[in-house]
Amino acid sequence: MRRVLHLKQVTQCAMLEDFGIFLVLADKSLFAYHIEALVPSNPPSPNTSRAPQKLNGNRDVQFFSVGTIGGRTLVIYMKKKGIESVFRVLEPVVERITEKAKVPGGFGRFAAFGSSRSEWFRVFKDFFLPSEAYDLYFLKAKIAICCSKGFEVMDLADFKSVTIPQREDPRLQAWNRRLEACIPLGMFRSSENEFLLCYSEFGMYVDRHGDPSRAVLTVEWEGTAERVACHPPYIMLFDTRFIEIRHIETGRLAQIIPGDEVRCLWDGRGGSAPPILTPGPDGWQEGGAQDARVHAAMRAEEAPGMKGRAGIRAVAQHVFELLPTIPLYLPGSLASPSQSTYFPQSSSPPHSPRLNPQWRG
């Protein structure tokens, strides 16, 4: 194992596999690297010498998101300007990425690392939001911006948007103060015509128009989530003390994975995982795809006598993937499995044991 990236304060990464580009947000600057420059192939290709490019100007980037709309791969990053959130939409240009690397010169266009102009991407669109934004999700044909007002669902074609949930709804009058106090974290499709809005303390089901769709308005989380990830048919809520796993259609608690200093490293966006498909008429299928979509980390328990250099106490982390389990059925016809499982169902969710990695001396 060797270090390939010498950047500090890295907060986000994403891989554009179809273009061979690796994106890194470090110290609030967004950089694009040719993957061949980080991990050269054998024999080396001409792209091994390609210099990285800085995608933003001078203002700090708060976050970015990668997705596809209308068959176009887009990268959207956000900067703050006063109380406004300013967004820039970039589109990778295949011809510029695959062209032969230019020889660096005194005033060459690739000579200066961190040039404010990117040769590999073109500006697709710019827009702003008059509120503080926290994250951005790509939906099937639109984007959803998690912001202080809630979830701003926007069409990039004409920038028309609607804020959900509608605070003017009489059913939400008693919830407005709490909606303002909690941070919107993610928006996921729970069925063909329904979405689950995930806040830091609770979830809310809404229909395609953004109106509450269930009699019981909220699903209360066990903890306070800092991140949320989706691997159908489950959502994973990351508290620093545990990972809370719930069924996306029912909101029921399925599992608790305890830990210390728990963090979500990758929520499945901007990587090699296939896009999340739309649920069918019968909803999400149990078990789900067995691809590694979510990565997380937690502090590992210190082994006896474990020390770093010069007697300094070492800090170790356990990094792992989260995959849905496959339901087990009683022996019988595979075409029509029994509804009874090997293990009796309980109203209490399973409490996973702590992850104890085996240390080697």
Side-chain angles (χ1 to χ4, degrees):
M1 183 179 294
R2 66 183 181 88
R3 186 174 181 178
V4 298
L5 194 60
H6 298 270
L7 290 175
K8 296 181 179 180
Q9 299 182 18
V10 175
T11 53
Q12 268 188 273
C13 297
M15 181 68 202
L16 305 182
E17 288 199 14
D18 292 341
F19 303 91
I21 295 296
F22 185 64
L23 301 176
V24 182
L25 179 59
D27 197 17
K28 296 189 175 181
S29 291
L30 183 57
F31 299 103
Y33 290 80
H34 203 291
I35 194 63
E36 284 287 334
L38 296 178
V39 188
S41 57
N42 192 13
S45 76
N47 293 317
T48 303
S49 59
R50 301 291 286 270
Q53 297 183 3
K54 186 178 179 181
L55 303 188
N56 62 295
N58 298 324
R59 197 178 298 274
D60 292 344
V61 174
Q62 304 300 312
F63 65 84
F64 75 94
S65 187
V66 177
T68 303
I69 291 183
R72 310 176 81 152
T73 298
L74 302 176
V75 177
I76 304 180
Y77 66 80
M78 190 278 283
K79 301 179 179 182
K80 291 183 68 174
K81 185 178 181 181
I83 61 172
E84 295 180 348
S85 298
V86 181
F87 294 85
R88 169 153 287 186
V89 186
L90 301 176
E91 182 178 22
V93 182
V94 179
E95 294 77 12
R96 295 180 183 175
I97 295 173
T98 57
E99 70 180 353
K100 187 177 180 180
K102 299 179 181 179
V103 178
F107 298 95
R109 300 171 82 178
F110 288 97
F113 174 79
S115 173
S116 60
R117 182 181 178 184
S118 168
E119 298 294 332
W120 298 339
F121 293 81
R122 73 177 185 89
V123 177
F124 183 62
K125 290 186 178 182
D126 292 323
F127 65 95
F128 76 96
L129 201 65
S131 60
E132 184 178 3
Y134 311 113
D135 206 343
L136 184 148
Y137 283 79
F138 282 81
L139 305 179
K140 189 174 181 179
K142 300 180 181 180
I143 60 173
I145 304 171
C146 306
C147 62
S148 56
K149 298 190 298 181
F151 295 84
E152 195 82 10
V153 180
M154 177 181 293
D155 190 334
L156 287 179
D158 52 16
F159 297 120
K160 291 182 179 179
S161 65
V162 60
T163 304
I164 61 174
Q166 297 286 343
R167 301 275 181 93
E168 297 77 14
D169 192 313
R171 291 171 292 177
L172 297 178
Q173 292 301 312
W175 293 88
N176 279 342
R177 182 172 297 180
R178 195 167 179 209
L179 288 169
E180 293 176 359
C182 294
I183 298 177
L185 297 177
M187 177 177 177
F188 307 100
R189 190 181 289 272
S190 55
S191 65
E192 276 191 310
N193 301 302
E194 190 180 54
F195 292 88
L196 174 60
L197 307 181
C198 294
Y199 289 82
S200 53
E201 296 182 1
F202 62 90
M204 179 180 293
Y205 289 96
V206 298
D207 59 22
R208 299 172 71 101
H209 304 289
D211 300 320
S213 57
R214 302 195 182 184
V216 179
L217 290 182
T218 64
V219 179
E220 299 292 333
W221 309 146
E222 295 294 316
T224 301
E226 295 184 350
R227 290 279 300 276
V228 61
C230 180
H231 191 146
Y234 302 103
I235 59 166
M236 284 148 278
L237 302 145
F238 291 83
D239 186 294
T240 56
R241 303 161 297 168
F242 53 81
I243 304 172
E244 185 175 339
I245 301 175
R246 291 180 177 269
H247 198 284
I248 193 171
E249 288 185 81
T250 64
R252 290 179 179 175
L253 185 61
Q255 188 177 5
I256 293 286
I257 302 177
D260 296 320
E261 299 181 12
V262 178
R263 293 183 299 125
C264 176
L265 300 180
W266 180 49
D267 62 4
R269 293 179 291 168
S272 59
I276 297 177
L277 302 177
T278 302
D282 298 327
W284 295 106
Q285 298 298 314
E286 291 294 332
Q290 294 298 299
D291 52 298
R293 184 178 293 278
V294 181
H295 296 173
M298 64 174 66
R299 179 186 284 270
E301 293 186 3
E302 184 177 327
M306 177 183 155
K307 291 184 179 181
R309 295 180 180 177
I312 300 175
R313 186 176 180 179
V315 176
Q317 288 187 319
H318 186 58
V319 181
F320 53 95
E321 300 173 346
L322 289 166
L323 296 173
T325 55
I326 301 175
L328 297 176
Y329 299 103
L330 286 172
S333 172
L334 293 178
S336 56
S338 168
Q339 295 299 315
S340 301
T341 61
Y342 280 109
F343 306 102
Q345 297 297 312
S346 168
S347 58
S348 177
H351 196 271
S352 298
R354 285 182 175 272
L355 298 173
N356 296 321
Q358 298 297 320
W359 295 99
R360 295 181 179 179

